[in-house]
Amino acid sequence: MEHNKNQWLIFYILVIFVVTLNKQMHSQINFSKELPSGLSKFSITNNIDTVAEKKNVDKSYLLPAVEVVGLNFAVWGYHRYLSGEGWSNISWESIKKNFKNGFEWDVDGYLMNQFWHPYHGSNYYNLARSNGLGFWESAPYAFGGSLMWEYFMENEPPSYNDIVNTPVTGIILGEISFRVSNLIIDESTTGLERFIREFSSTLIDPMQGLNRMIRGDMWKAGAPNKRPDFNLVVSSGVHNVFFSRKLNNSKSYVTLRADLNYGNQFAVADHKKPFDYFTLHTEVNVAQGDNIVGIFASGVIWDGRLKLFEKSKNIIGIYKEVDIHINTIYKLSATSVTGQIINTIPFSFSTSMINYFGLSAILMGGTNSHYASEAGKDYNIGPGASAKLGVKISFENFGEIYSNYKRYWIHTLSGAESEEFVGLLNVGINYQLFKNNFLGLDFLLYERYGDYKYFSNYTDSNVALRIYIKQKI
Protein backbone atom coordinates (compact mmCIF):
# COMPACT_ATOMS: atom_id res chain seq x y z
CA MET A 1 0.00 0.00 0.00
CA GLU A 2 2.78 2.42 0.90
CA HIS A 3 4.60 1.61 -2.36
CA ASN A 4 1.44 2.24 -4.42
CA LYS A 5 0.81 5.49 -2.59
CA ASN A 6 4.29 6.74 -3.36
CA GLN A 7 3.90 5.79 -7.03
CA TRP A 8 0.70 7.81 -7.29
CA LEU A 9 2.28 10.81 -5.55
CA ILE A 10 5.46 10.82 -7.65
CA PHE A 11 3.52 10.46 -10.92
CA TYR A 12 1.07 13.19 -9.92
CA ILE A 13 3.77 15.70 -8.97
CA LEU A 14 5.72 14.92 -12.16
CA VAL A 15 2.73 15.58 -14.44
CA ILE A 16 2.00 18.90 -12.73
CA PHE A 17 5.68 19.88 -12.97
CA VAL A 18 6.08 19.23 -16.68
CA VAL A 19 2.86 20.97 -17.66
CA THR A 20 3.69 23.89 -15.38
CA LEU A 21 7.14 24.11 -16.97
CA ASN A 22 5.49 24.40 -20.33
CA LYS A 23 3.21 27.18 -19.13
CA GLN A 24 6.07 29.16 -17.67
CA MET A 25 8.17 28.92 -20.83
CA HIS A 26 5.38 29.62 -23.30
CA SER A 27 2.56 31.37 -21.44
CA GLN A 28 -0.52 31.64 -23.64
CA ILE A 29 -3.37 31.82 -21.19
CA ASN A 30 -6.06 34.49 -21.15
CA PHE A 31 -6.66 34.84 -17.43
CA SER A 32 -10.32 35.75 -17.54
CA LYS A 33 -12.83 34.60 -14.99
CA GLU A 34 -12.53 30.91 -14.24
CA LEU A 35 -15.72 28.90 -14.41
CA PRO A 36 -16.26 25.43 -12.96
CA SER A 37 -13.84 22.69 -13.91
CA GLY A 38 -14.25 22.12 -17.62
CA LEU A 39 -16.28 25.29 -18.24
CA SER A 40 -13.64 27.91 -18.99
CA LYS A 41 -14.97 31.11 -20.53
CA PHE A 42 -11.89 32.52 -22.26
CA SER A 43 -11.74 32.62 -26.05
CA ILE A 44 -9.62 30.31 -28.15
CA THR A 45 -7.90 31.62 -31.25
CA ASN A 46 -5.06 29.19 -31.92
CA ASN A 47 -5.18 26.19 -34.20
CA ILE A 48 -5.70 23.16 -31.99
CA ASP A 49 -4.13 20.55 -34.25
CA THR A 50 -1.59 18.31 -32.60
CA VAL A 51 2.14 18.36 -33.20
CA ALA A 52 1.92 15.18 -35.29
CA GLU A 53 -0.73 16.73 -37.53
CA LYS A 54 1.11 20.04 -37.93
CA LYS A 55 4.30 18.17 -38.79
CA ASN A 56 2.35 16.27 -41.46
CA VAL A 57 3.48 12.89 -40.16
CA ASP A 58 2.81 10.43 -42.95
CA LYS A 59 -0.19 8.28 -42.14
CA SER A 60 0.59 4.63 -41.68
CA TYR A 61 -2.06 2.00 -41.10
CA LEU A 62 0.37 -0.92 -41.20
CA LEU A 63 3.08 0.34 -38.82
CA PRO A 64 0.82 0.81 -35.77
CA ALA A 65 -0.68 -2.64 -36.39
CA VAL A 66 2.81 -4.14 -36.30
CA GLU A 67 3.65 -2.10 -33.20
CA VAL A 68 0.48 -3.24 -31.41
CA VAL A 69 1.45 -6.86 -32.02
CA GLY A 70 4.99 -6.11 -30.86
CA LEU A 71 3.74 -4.39 -27.70
CA ASN A 72 1.60 -7.39 -26.80
CA PHE A 73 4.49 -9.77 -27.29
CA ALA A 74 6.82 -7.53 -25.25
CA VAL A 75 4.41 -7.38 -22.30
CA TRP A 76 3.69 -11.11 -22.57
CA GLY A 77 7.44 -11.92 -22.77
CA TYR A 78 8.15 -9.95 -19.60
CA HIS A 79 5.50 -11.82 -17.63
CA ARG A 80 6.40 -15.20 -19.15
CA TYR A 81 10.17 -15.17 -18.86
CA LEU A 82 10.99 -12.59 -16.18
CA SER A 83 8.15 -12.58 -13.66
CA GLY A 84 6.94 -16.12 -14.45
CA GLU A 85 3.18 -15.44 -14.29
CA GLY A 86 1.12 -18.61 -14.71
CA TRP A 87 -1.44 -17.03 -17.04
CA SER A 88 1.33 -16.29 -19.59
CA ASN A 89 2.06 -19.99 -20.22
CA ILE A 90 0.24 -20.05 -23.55
CA SER A 91 0.10 -22.63 -26.32
CA TRP A 92 -1.93 -23.41 -29.41
CA GLU A 93 -4.17 -25.47 -27.14
CA SER A 94 -4.86 -22.50 -24.85
CA ILE A 95 -5.64 -20.31 -27.86
CA LYS A 96 -8.09 -22.86 -29.30
CA LYS A 97 -9.68 -23.20 -25.87
CA ASN A 98 -10.17 -19.44 -25.63
CA PHE A 99 -11.93 -19.34 -28.98
CA LYS A 100 -14.05 -22.33 -28.08
CA ASN A 101 -15.15 -21.22 -24.60
CA GLY A 102 -15.65 -17.53 -25.33
CA PHE A 103 -15.90 -14.65 -22.89
CA GLU A 104 -16.23 -14.78 -19.11
CA TRP A 105 -15.98 -12.30 -16.25
CA ASP A 106 -12.46 -12.35 -14.82
CA VAL A 107 -11.41 -12.12 -11.18
CA ASP A 108 -8.51 -9.67 -11.48
CA GLY A 109 -8.26 -7.01 -8.79
CA TYR A 110 -9.81 -3.56 -8.93
CA LEU A 111 -6.65 -1.60 -9.71
CA MET A 112 -5.56 -4.01 -12.44
CA ASN A 113 -8.91 -4.04 -14.24
CA GLN A 114 -9.93 -0.43 -13.73
CA PHE A 115 -6.62 1.37 -14.27
CA TRP A 116 -3.79 -0.73 -15.68
CA HIS A 117 -5.87 -2.38 -18.39
CA PRO A 118 -7.19 1.00 -19.63
CA TYR A 119 -3.62 2.30 -19.51
CA HIS A 120 -2.59 -0.62 -21.74
CA GLY A 121 -5.45 0.29 -24.07
CA SER A 122 -4.24 3.89 -24.25
CA ASN A 123 -0.88 2.61 -25.52
CA TYR A 124 -2.57 0.66 -28.32
CA TYR A 125 -4.48 3.77 -29.29
CA ASN A 126 -1.48 6.09 -29.16
CA LEU A 127 0.62 3.83 -31.35
CA ALA A 128 -1.86 4.68 -34.11
CA ARG A 129 -2.35 8.30 -33.06
CA SER A 130 1.38 9.03 -33.18
CA ASN A 131 1.59 7.51 -36.66
CA GLY A 132 -0.58 10.27 -38.10
CA LEU A 133 -4.00 8.64 -37.66
CA GLY A 134 -6.98 10.57 -36.33
CA PHE A 135 -9.29 9.82 -33.41
CA TRP A 136 -11.70 7.50 -35.20
CA GLU A 137 -8.94 5.89 -37.26
CA SER A 138 -6.97 5.06 -34.10
CA ALA A 139 -9.87 3.61 -32.11
CA PRO A 140 -9.91 0.19 -33.92
CA TYR A 141 -6.28 -0.38 -32.92
CA ALA A 142 -7.30 -0.22 -29.24
CA PHE A 143 -10.02 -2.80 -29.83
CA GLY A 144 -7.79 -4.96 -32.03
CA GLY A 145 -4.94 -4.97 -29.54
CA SER A 146 -7.31 -5.88 -26.73
CA LEU A 147 -8.89 -8.72 -28.73
CA MET A 148 -5.47 -10.11 -29.60
CA TRP A 149 -4.47 -10.06 -25.94
CA GLU A 150 -7.67 -11.69 -24.72
CA TYR A 151 -7.60 -14.56 -27.22
CA PHE A 152 -3.91 -15.18 -27.80
CA MET A 153 -1.72 -13.86 -24.96
CA GLU A 154 -3.27 -15.48 -21.87
CA ASN A 155 -4.26 -19.02 -21.02
CA GLU A 156 -7.32 -17.63 -19.22
CA PRO A 157 -10.67 -17.11 -20.96
CA PRO A 158 -11.24 -13.73 -22.65
CA SER A 159 -12.88 -11.22 -20.31
CA TYR A 160 -16.08 -9.22 -20.84
CA ASN A 161 -14.89 -6.36 -18.62
CA ASP A 162 -11.44 -6.19 -20.24
CA ILE A 163 -12.83 -5.92 -23.77
CA VAL A 164 -14.75 -2.81 -22.63
CA ASN A 165 -12.38 -1.21 -20.14
CA THR A 166 -9.16 -1.72 -22.10
CA PRO A 167 -10.18 -0.09 -25.39
CA VAL A 168 -13.04 2.26 -24.42
CA THR A 169 -11.46 3.80 -21.33
CA GLY A 170 -8.06 3.46 -23.00
CA ILE A 171 -9.17 5.68 -25.91
CA ILE A 172 -10.15 8.45 -23.47
CA LEU A 173 -6.90 8.25 -21.51
CA GLY A 174 -4.94 7.87 -24.75
CA GLU A 175 -6.35 10.95 -26.49
CA ILE A 176 -5.82 13.11 -23.42
CA SER A 177 -2.25 11.89 -22.83
CA PHE A 178 -1.50 12.35 -26.55
CA ARG A 179 -2.65 15.97 -26.50
CA VAL A 180 -0.98 16.79 -23.16
CA SER A 181 2.26 15.31 -24.48
CA ASN A 182 1.97 17.56 -27.53
CA LEU A 183 1.57 20.61 -25.30
CA ILE A 184 5.05 19.94 -23.96
CA ILE A 185 6.90 19.11 -27.20
CA ASP A 186 8.68 22.05 -28.85
CA GLU A 187 11.13 21.20 -31.61
CA SER A 188 12.51 24.75 -31.73
CA THR A 189 14.19 24.24 -28.34
CA THR A 190 17.66 22.83 -27.79
CA GLY A 191 19.94 21.59 -25.03
CA LEU A 192 18.61 20.84 -21.57
CA GLU A 193 15.19 22.32 -22.26
CA ARG A 194 14.73 20.08 -25.30
CA PHE A 195 15.79 17.03 -23.29
CA ILE A 196 13.36 17.85 -20.47
CA ARG A 197 10.52 18.36 -22.93
CA GLU A 198 11.13 15.15 -24.87
CA PHE A 199 11.68 13.12 -21.71
CA SER A 200 8.60 14.41 -19.89
CA SER A 201 6.33 14.17 -22.94
CA THR A 202 7.45 10.55 -23.35
CA LEU A 203 6.59 9.80 -19.72
CA ILE A 204 3.07 11.06 -20.37
CA ASP A 205 2.70 9.30 -23.74
CA PRO A 206 5.34 6.56 -24.08
CA MET A 207 4.12 5.39 -27.49
CA GLN A 208 4.42 8.83 -29.04
CA GLY A 209 7.92 9.06 -27.58
CA LEU A 210 8.76 5.68 -29.11
CA ASN A 211 7.62 6.72 -32.58
CA ARG A 212 9.32 10.11 -32.33
CA MET A 213 12.54 8.28 -31.51
CA ILE A 214 12.07 5.85 -34.43
CA ARG A 215 11.52 8.75 -36.85
CA GLY A 216 14.34 10.80 -35.35
CA ASP A 217 11.95 13.61 -34.41
CA MET A 218 13.31 13.73 -30.87
CA TRP A 219 16.47 15.48 -32.03
CA LYS A 220 15.35 17.16 -35.26
CA ALA A 221 15.14 20.95 -35.35
CA GLY A 222 11.67 22.29 -36.14
CA ALA A 223 9.35 25.26 -35.88
CA PRO A 224 8.03 26.54 -32.54
CA ASN A 225 4.97 24.66 -31.33
CA LYS A 226 1.84 26.77 -31.70
CA ARG A 227 -0.27 25.50 -28.83
CA PRO A 228 -3.97 25.80 -28.15
CA ASP A 229 -5.11 27.85 -25.21
CA PHE A 230 -5.34 25.84 -22.05
CA ASN A 231 -5.93 26.61 -18.42
CA LEU A 232 -4.04 24.85 -15.62
CA VAL A 233 -5.07 25.30 -11.99
CA VAL A 234 -3.16 23.66 -9.12
CA SER A 235 -4.06 23.61 -5.46
CA SER A 236 -2.75 22.20 -2.21
CA GLY A 237 -3.96 22.17 1.36
CA VAL A 238 -5.51 19.96 4.03
CA HIS A 239 -8.33 17.47 3.50
CA ASN A 240 -9.97 16.27 6.73
CA VAL A 241 -12.35 13.30 6.60
CA PHE A 242 -14.89 12.63 9.37
CA PHE A 243 -15.65 8.90 9.28
CA SER A 244 -19.32 7.95 9.52
CA ARG A 245 -19.91 11.72 9.87
CA LYS A 246 -18.56 11.72 13.45
CA LEU A 247 -16.50 14.72 14.61
CA ASN A 248 -14.48 12.59 17.06
CA ASN A 249 -13.39 10.09 14.38
CA SER A 250 -11.38 11.84 11.69
CA LYS A 251 -8.15 11.79 9.71
CA SER A 252 -6.23 14.59 8.01
CA TYR A 253 -4.70 14.27 4.54
CA VAL A 254 -2.33 16.46 2.57
CA THR A 255 -4.19 17.29 -0.65
CA LEU A 256 -2.70 17.98 -4.09
CA ARG A 257 -5.01 18.71 -7.01
CA ALA A 258 -4.74 19.86 -10.61
CA ASP A 259 -7.37 20.87 -13.17
CA LEU A 260 -6.52 21.10 -16.86
CA ASN A 261 -9.01 22.70 -19.25
CA TYR A 262 -7.93 22.19 -22.85
CA GLY A 263 -9.63 24.60 -25.25
CA ASN A 264 -12.84 26.51 -24.69
CA GLN A 265 -16.11 24.69 -24.19
CA PHE A 266 -18.16 27.59 -25.51
CA ALA A 267 -16.19 27.95 -28.77
CA VAL A 268 -18.17 25.12 -30.35
CA ALA A 269 -17.27 26.23 -33.89
CA ASP A 270 -13.64 25.34 -33.11
CA HIS A 271 -14.52 21.78 -32.07
CA LYS A 272 -13.78 20.11 -35.38
CA LYS A 273 -12.52 16.82 -33.92
CA PRO A 274 -13.26 14.74 -30.82
CA PHE A 275 -11.48 16.05 -27.72
CA ASP A 276 -10.73 19.46 -29.24
CA TYR A 277 -12.11 20.42 -25.86
CA PHE A 278 -11.54 18.30 -22.75
CA THR A 279 -11.11 18.58 -19.00
CA LEU A 280 -8.92 16.56 -16.67
CA HIS A 281 -9.19 16.70 -12.89
CA THR A 282 -6.68 14.79 -10.78
CA GLU A 283 -6.22 14.68 -7.03
CA VAL A 284 -4.14 12.84 -4.48
CA ASN A 285 -4.86 13.08 -0.76
CA VAL A 286 -2.14 11.43 1.31
CA ALA A 287 -2.10 10.33 4.94
CA GLN A 288 -0.15 7.76 6.91
CA GLY A 289 -1.25 4.34 5.70
CA ASP A 290 -4.06 5.70 3.52
CA ASN A 291 -4.72 7.76 0.43
CA ILE A 292 -7.63 9.17 -1.58
CA VAL A 293 -7.16 9.29 -5.36
CA GLY A 294 -9.37 10.83 -8.01
CA ILE A 295 -9.16 11.02 -11.82
CA PHE A 296 -12.07 12.59 -13.72
CA ALA A 297 -11.76 13.12 -17.48
CA SER A 298 -14.28 14.34 -20.03
CA GLY A 299 -13.84 15.09 -23.74
CA VAL A 300 -16.28 16.46 -26.30
CA ILE A 301 -17.41 14.17 -29.11
CA TRP A 302 -20.07 16.50 -30.51
CA ASP A 303 -21.60 19.76 -29.34
CA GLY A 304 -23.65 22.68 -30.54
CA ARG A 305 -25.35 25.84 -29.37
CA LEU A 306 -28.83 25.77 -27.88
CA LYS A 307 -31.19 28.75 -27.67
CA LEU A 308 -32.89 28.91 -24.26
CA PHE A 309 -32.87 32.45 -22.92
CA GLU A 310 -32.15 35.80 -24.51
CA LYS A 311 -29.02 36.71 -22.53
CA SER A 312 -27.67 33.26 -21.83
CA LYS A 313 -25.11 31.06 -23.57
CA ASN A 314 -26.17 27.46 -23.83
CA ILE A 315 -24.51 24.30 -25.11
CA ILE A 316 -25.76 20.79 -25.63
CA GLY A 317 -23.15 18.13 -26.17
CA ILE A 318 -22.11 14.49 -26.09
CA TYR A 319 -18.96 13.64 -24.14
CA LYS A 320 -16.85 10.57 -23.42
CA GLU A 321 -15.98 10.40 -19.75
CA VAL A 322 -14.08 8.29 -17.27
CA ASP A 323 -14.26 8.61 -13.48
CA ILE A 324 -11.92 6.84 -11.08
CA HIS A 325 -12.31 7.64 -7.40
CA ILE A 326 -10.78 5.73 -4.51
CA ASN A 327 -11.63 6.80 -0.95
CA THR A 328 -12.49 5.29 2.41
CA ILE A 329 -16.17 4.77 1.52
CA TYR A 330 -15.88 3.35 -1.96
CA LYS A 331 -13.67 2.49 -4.87
CA LEU A 332 -15.47 3.65 -7.99
CA SER A 333 -14.73 3.55 -11.69
CA ALA A 334 -17.05 4.35 -14.59
CA THR A 335 -16.48 4.77 -18.31
CA SER A 336 -19.47 6.42 -19.89
CA VAL A 337 -21.08 8.39 -22.70
CA THR A 338 -22.70 11.57 -21.42
CA GLY A 339 -25.30 13.96 -22.75
CA GLN A 340 -24.97 17.37 -21.11
CA ILE A 341 -26.55 20.83 -21.18
CA ILE A 342 -24.54 23.83 -19.97
CA ASN A 343 -26.09 27.23 -19.36
CA THR A 344 -24.49 30.58 -18.46
CA ILE A 345 -26.43 33.64 -17.33
CA PRO A 346 -24.81 37.08 -16.78
CA PHE A 347 -26.56 38.78 -13.87
CA SER A 348 -24.49 41.94 -14.22
CA PHE A 349 -21.14 43.14 -15.54
CA SER A 350 -19.38 41.61 -12.55
CA THR A 351 -21.59 38.64 -11.64
CA SER A 352 -22.50 35.54 -13.64
CA MET A 353 -23.92 32.09 -13.07
CA ILE A 354 -23.20 28.84 -14.83
CA ASN A 355 -25.07 25.60 -14.34
CA TYR A 356 -25.09 22.20 -15.97
CA PHE A 357 -27.05 18.97 -16.04
CA GLY A 358 -25.83 15.68 -17.47
CA LEU A 359 -27.07 12.12 -17.91
CA SER A 360 -24.63 9.27 -18.59
CA ALA A 361 -24.85 5.70 -19.81
CA ILE A 362 -22.14 3.81 -17.94
CA LEU A 363 -20.74 1.23 -20.35
CA MET A 364 -18.76 -0.46 -17.59
CA GLY A 365 -18.48 0.50 -13.96
CA GLY A 366 -17.07 -1.02 -10.81
CA THR A 367 -17.24 -0.47 -7.09
CA ASN A 368 -15.83 -2.37 -4.14
CA SER A 369 -18.13 -4.51 -2.04
CA HIS A 370 -17.93 -6.24 1.34
CA TYR A 371 -19.61 -9.27 -0.21
CA ALA A 372 -17.82 -9.52 -3.58
CA SER A 373 -15.26 -11.91 -2.08
CA GLU A 374 -18.03 -14.53 -2.02
CA ALA A 375 -17.78 -14.47 -5.81
CA GLY A 376 -13.97 -14.55 -5.76
CA LYS A 377 -13.55 -10.81 -6.49
CA ASP A 378 -12.71 -7.65 -4.57
CA TYR A 379 -15.33 -5.50 -6.32
CA ASN A 380 -18.63 -5.60 -8.21
CA ILE A 381 -18.74 -4.76 -11.91
CA GLY A 382 -21.41 -4.02 -14.49
CA PRO A 383 -23.13 -1.33 -16.58
CA GLY A 384 -25.30 1.43 -15.21
CA ALA A 385 -26.08 5.12 -15.37
CA SER A 386 -25.24 8.38 -13.64
CA ALA A 387 -26.55 11.92 -13.37
CA LYS A 388 -24.81 15.14 -12.42
CA LEU A 389 -25.97 18.64 -11.53
CA GLY A 390 -23.96 21.74 -10.72
CA VAL A 391 -24.14 25.49 -10.30
CA LYS A 392 -21.51 28.17 -9.85
CA ILE A 393 -21.82 31.90 -9.25
CA SER A 394 -18.76 34.05 -9.97
CA PHE A 395 -18.13 37.53 -8.57
CA GLU A 396 -15.45 39.62 -10.25
CA ASN A 397 -12.58 40.55 -7.91
CA PHE A 398 -14.17 38.52 -5.10
CA GLY A 399 -14.35 34.85 -5.99
CA GLU A 400 -16.99 32.19 -6.49
CA ILE A 401 -19.42 29.87 -4.75
CA TYR A 402 -20.44 26.52 -6.19
CA SER A 403 -22.20 23.22 -5.62
CA ASN A 404 -21.85 19.96 -7.58
CA TYR A 405 -23.46 16.57 -7.11
CA LYS A 406 -23.02 13.33 -9.06
CA ARG A 407 -24.86 10.07 -8.44
CA TYR A 408 -23.91 6.69 -9.93
CA TRP A 409 -25.89 3.49 -10.30
CA ILE A 410 -24.15 0.23 -11.21
CA HIS A 411 -26.04 -2.98 -11.91
CA THR A 412 -23.82 -5.87 -10.86
CA LEU A 413 -23.22 -8.51 -13.52
CA SER A 414 -20.16 -10.00 -11.86
CA GLY A 415 -19.69 -10.06 -8.10
CA ALA A 416 -22.24 -10.02 -5.30
CA GLU A 417 -25.58 -9.61 -7.10
CA SER A 418 -26.81 -6.12 -6.28
CA GLU A 419 -27.66 -2.59 -7.32
CA GLU A 420 -24.88 -0.23 -6.20
CA PHE A 421 -25.45 3.51 -5.66
CA VAL A 422 -22.60 5.94 -5.09
CA GLY A 423 -22.74 9.72 -4.64
CA LEU A 424 -20.35 12.64 -4.30
CA LEU A 425 -21.43 16.13 -3.20
CA ASN A 426 -19.08 19.13 -3.21
CA VAL A 427 -20.10 22.56 -1.92
CA GLY A 428 -17.47 25.29 -1.72
CA ILE A 429 -16.28 28.85 -1.89
CA ASN A 430 -13.14 30.38 -3.40
CA TYR A 431 -12.06 33.80 -2.14
CA GLN A 432 -9.75 35.77 -4.42
CA LEU A 433 -6.55 36.78 -2.64
CA PHE A 434 -4.65 38.06 -5.67
CA LYS A 435 -5.24 38.08 -9.43
CA ASN A 436 -4.64 34.37 -9.94
CA ASN A 437 -4.58 33.16 -6.35
CA PHE A 438 -7.55 31.94 -4.28
CA LEU A 439 -8.27 30.62 -0.79
CA GLY A 440 -10.73 27.74 -0.96
CA LEU A 441 -13.01 25.91 1.45
CA ASP A 442 -14.97 22.80 0.42
CA PHE A 443 -17.51 20.60 2.14
CA LEU A 444 -17.74 17.07 0.70
CA LEU A 445 -20.09 14.16 1.21
CA TYR A 446 -19.10 10.63 0.14
CA GLU A 447 -22.02 8.21 0.24
CA ARG A 448 -22.93 4.75 -0.96
CA TYR A 449 -25.82 2.32 -0.74
CA GLY A 450 -25.85 -1.33 -1.80
CA ASP A 451 -29.13 -3.15 -2.42
CA TYR A 452 -28.15 -6.85 -2.31
CA LYS A 453 -30.15 -9.87 -3.39
CA TYR A 454 -28.55 -12.47 -1.13
CA PHE A 455 -26.88 -10.32 1.55
CA SER A 456 -27.88 -7.57 3.95
CA ASN A 457 -28.13 -4.15 2.36
CA TYR A 458 -25.24 -1.82 3.10
CA THR A 459 -25.06 1.94 3.55
CA ASP A 460 -22.28 4.26 4.67
CA SER A 461 -21.15 7.85 4.31
CA ASN A 462 -18.32 10.16 5.28
CA VAL A 463 -18.08 13.94 5.23
CA ALA A 464 -14.94 16.00 4.71
CA LEU A 465 -13.71 19.56 4.94
CA ARG A 466 -10.95 20.77 2.67
CA ILE A 467 -9.08 24.06 2.93
CA TYR A 468 -6.55 24.93 0.25
CA ILE A 469 -4.71 27.54 -1.76
CA LYS A 470 -5.49 27.53 -5.49
CA GLN A 471 -3.20 29.01 -8.12
CA LYS A 472 -3.95 29.61 -11.82
CA ILE A 473 -0.75 29.06 -13.77
Side-chain angles (χ1 to χ4, degrees):
M1 176 65 73
E2 188 70 23
H3 178 66
N4 289 337
K5 179 175 73 175
N6 291 338
Q7 283 184 328
W8 278 107
L9 183 59
I10 293 170
F11 177 76
Y12 182 80
I13 293 173
L14 181 60
V15 170
I16 294 177
F17 168 75
V18 296
V19 177
T20 302
L21 175 68
N22 180 72
K23 294 296 290 181
Q24 292 173 335
M25 291 179 174
H26 294 275
S27 180
Q28 298 182 353
I29 292 180
N30 176 3
F31 286 114
S32 59
K33 292 180 290 185
E34 182 208 359
L35 295 174
S37 176
L39 305 178
S40 302
K41 195 173 180 179
F42 53 82
S43 63
I44 180 170
T45 57
N46 292 338
N47 187 343
I48 54 180
D49 286 343
T50 64
V51 169
E53 290 163 335
K54 286 183 287 188
K55 282 177 61 61
N56 295 318
V57 173
D58 291 336
K59 280 189 176 184
S60 174
Y61 294 95
L62 178 59
L63 180 57
V66 173
E67 290 178 332
V68 165
V69 173
L71 175 62
N72 275 342
F73 271 101
V75 174
W76 168 82
Y78 171 83
H79 289 287
R80 178 70 181 97
Y81 297 107
L82 295 180
S83 62
E85 302 286 346
W87 54 260
S88 64
N89 188 15
I90 60 175
S91 65
W92 287 115
E93 290 301 318
S94 67
I95 294 171
K96 287 190 291 185
K97 183 179 178 181
N98 285 344
F99 274 96
K100 180 180 179 180
N101 294 341
F103 282 84
E104 298 179 1
W105 296 96
D106 72 23
V107 294
D108 287 345
Y110 175 88
L111 193 61
M112 176 60 69
N113 271 340
Q114 306 307 116
F115 181 77
W116 290 116
H117 283 173
Y119 175 74
H120 198 174
S122 73
N123 288 328
Y124 296 142
Y125 174 85
N126 280 338
L127 284 170
R129 202 70 173 91
S130 58
N131 273 296
L133 303 189
F135 179 90
W136 298 112
E137 294 172 311
S138 300
Y141 290 84
F143 284 95
S146 181
L147 281 171
M148 175 189 170
W149 183 269
E150 293 299 315
Y151 278 111
F152 292 90
M153 311 310 294
E154 295 180 314
N155 59 22
E156 299 173 349
S159 165
Y160 288 117
N161 41 294
D162 289 351
I163 203 60
V164 176
N165 275 338
T166 300
V168 177
T169 308
I171 289 169
I172 302 172
L173 299 179
E175 183 66 17
I176 289 177
S177 62
F178 179 71
R179 289 179 179 256
V180 172
S181 175
N182 284 327
L183 289 176
I184 298 169
I185 296 170
D186 189 339
E187 295 180 350
S188 67
T189 59
T190 59
L192 180 60
E193 180 184 341
R194 179 66 178 269
F195 172 79
I196 292 174
R197 287 182 178 277
E198 295 291 345
F199 179 77
S200 56
S201 68
T202 300
L203 286 178
I204 292 172
D205 184 356
M207 299 303 103
Q208 174 158 238
L210 172 66
N211 280 320
R212 284 179 58 79
M213 183 176 64
I214 292 172
R215 292 191 299 264
D217 293 339
M218 276 189 170
W219 42 85
K220 285 181 182 177
N225 184 11
K226 187 180 181 183
R227 297 171 179 83
D229 285 339
F230 64 98
N231 180 8
L232 177 65
V233 180
V234 297
S235 62
S236 62
V238 177
H239 183 97
N240 198 79
V241 177
F242 299 93
F243 299 106
S244 300
R245 296 184 288 181
K246 296 179 180 179
L247 295 179
N248 62 350
N249 185 17
S250 66
K251 177 181 283 190
S252 294
Y253 300 74
V254 175
T255 181
L256 299 169
R257 298 186 298 157
D259 290 276
L260 175 64
N261 300 326
Y262 181 102
N264 178 6
Q265 188 164 28
F266 287 90
V268 295
D270 294 327
H271 302 165
K272 307 295 185 183
K273 305 169 187 175
F275 283 71
D276 275 349
Y277 168 79
F278 71 80
T279 64
L280 175 64
H281 169 83
T282 61
E283 65 175 84
V284 175
N285 304 275
V286 181
Q288 182 66 35
D290 192 15
N291 60 319
I292 300 173
V293 176
I295 301 173
F296 301 89
S298 175
V300 65
I301 299 298
W302 169 88
D303 60 2
R305 294 199 176 277
L306 183 66
K307 184 66 176 179
L308 291 178
F309 307 105
E310 182 178 352
K311 294 184 178 181
S312 66
K313 293 181 181 179
N314 313 285
I315 291 177
I316 185 170
I318 298 174
Y319 301 81
K320 286 192 71 174
E321 299 187 331
V322 59
D323 298 345
I324 301 173
H325 201 199
I326 302 171
N327 59 61
T328 52
I329 288 294
Y330 53 77
K331 294 179 180 178
L332 170 76
S333 65
T335 182
S336 58
V337 177
T338 300
Q340 185 172 222
I341 296 177
I342 304 100
N343 166 253
T344 63
I345 301 175
F347 291 137
S348 66
F349 179 77
S350 60
T351 306
S352 63
M353 180 179 72
I354 186 166
N355 52 76
Y356 65 88
F357 173 73
L359 288 174
S360 302
I362 297 177
L363 306 178
M364 191 65 70
T367 182
N368 63 314
S369 169
H370 290 287
Y371 309 120
S373 59
E374 299 291 330
K377 301 174 68 69
D378 65 353
Y379 70 105
N380 291 335
I381 192 168
S386 66
K388 58 183 177 180
L389 179 68
V391 61
K392 180 176 182 179
I393 301 176
S394 298
F395 306 91
E396 189 173 12
N397 299 323
F398 173 78
E400 57 209 13
I401 56 175
Y402 49 87
S403 177
N404 306 283
Y405 181 71
K406 190 165 186 177
R407 182 81 169 179
Y408 305 82
W409 161 62
I410 296 174
H411 172 68
T412 301
L413 293 180
S414 177
E417 193 169 343
S418 63
E419 309 295 332
E420 297 282 359
F421 300 89
V422 171
L424 175 60
L425 171 69
N426 182 13
V427 179
I429 182 171
N430 285 168
Y431 175 72
Q432 186 172 359
L433 300 174
F434 304 102
K435 181 180 178 181
N436 298 315
N437 188 265
F438 297 81
L439 175 64
L441 177 66
D442 287 352
F443 168 82
L444 300 101
L445 170 66
Y446 308 102
E447 58 175 353
R448 69 171 300 169
Y449 171 72
D451 184 359
Y452 290 89
K453 186 173 182 179
Y454 301 110
F455 302 96
S456 300
N457 293 341
Y458 178 81
T459 184
D460 198 4
S461 63
N462 289 341
V463 297
L465 288 176
R466 179 166 57 206
I467 185 169
Y468 55 93
I469 296 293
K470 183 172 78 172
Q471 177 70 43
K472 295 199 290 186
I473 297 175

